[in-house]
Amino acid sequence: MKKVLIAVALLLFAVAFLPFTASTASAETYYLTVASSNPSSGVAVTVSPNDRDGKGNGTTQFTRSYSDSTSITLTAPSSVNGNTVQKWQRDGSDYSTNRTITFSLSRNRTMKAVYVTPTTTSYTLTVASSNPSSGVAVTVSPADRNGQTNGTTQFTRSYSDSTSITL
């Protein structure tokens, strides 16, 4: 009878504490560092879901902690200080050209939003004359990319794409 009571007591003990042990088992914690380049700081990134400490969105550079295999979505602004988002890098390697990315965190990672300065297309305007082939004074407005305006034929000026010029 004692053996039966001991067995029942052990079984009740195991059943009573098994859910507690399983539910309080600590899941692996991984850290996500969110960074940016061009600019290297100050970029407001949207983060979902909030991390283990209840922290969500942040301004680069910042770190969040997540349980293993958490699915995370990051959204970078389309432009910052006139620079446009080009891509995300994961641990230094190109990851995506979308400004919103979703991934599962299964180890410590650094995700970097990479911004580029837009290039401006420029064109050269050549001002020439015929009969006489040179020496004609021409008024030019506005000033070109180098601050030059009027000239005497033949001369050139450099302008950005879509600039309206009056001669």
Side-chain angles (χ1 to χ4, degrees), residues 8-145:
V8 169
L10 288 173
L11 180 62
L12 289 173
F13 179 80
V15 169
F17 289 100
L18 183 61
F20 175 77
T21 303
S23 66
T24 59
S26 178
E28 188 73 31
T29 298
Y30 294 110
Y31 295 93
L32 170 66
T33 300
V34 181
S36 62
S37 67
N38 197 26
S40 60
S41 64
V43 176
V45 175
T46 303
V47 180
S48 178
N50 289 350
D51 76 349
R52 292 179 73 145
D53 299 323
K55 296 177 183 175
N57 304 341
T59 303
T60 58
Q61 175 168 329
F62 62 93
T63 301
R64 298 290 181 261
S65 61
Y66 290 94
S67 300
D68 184 25
S69 300
T70 300
S71 179
I72 302 164
T73 300
L74 300 177
T75 302
S78 57
S79 65
V80 176
N81 299 334
N83 298 333
T84 56
V85 67
Q86 179 188 42
K87 61 187 169 186
W88 281 97
Q89 289 182 330
R90 180 177 68 186
D91 300 329
S93 297
D94 290 350
Y95 181 74
S96 175
T97 56
N98 297 322
R99 70 183 197 98
T100 298
I101 57 172
T102 300
F103 57 95
S104 291
L105 195 62
S106 57
R107 66 184 193 101
N108 296 334
R109 295 248 184 232
T110 297
M111 301 300 284
K112 181 186 283 186
V114 177
Y115 287 82
V116 294
T117 304
T119 58
T120 304
T121 304
S122 64
Y123 295 97
T124 299
L125 170 67
T126 300
V127 181
S129 61
S130 62
N131 202 13
S133 61
S134 64
V136 176
V138 178
T139 303
V140 180
S141 178
D144 75 351
R145 294 168 42 109

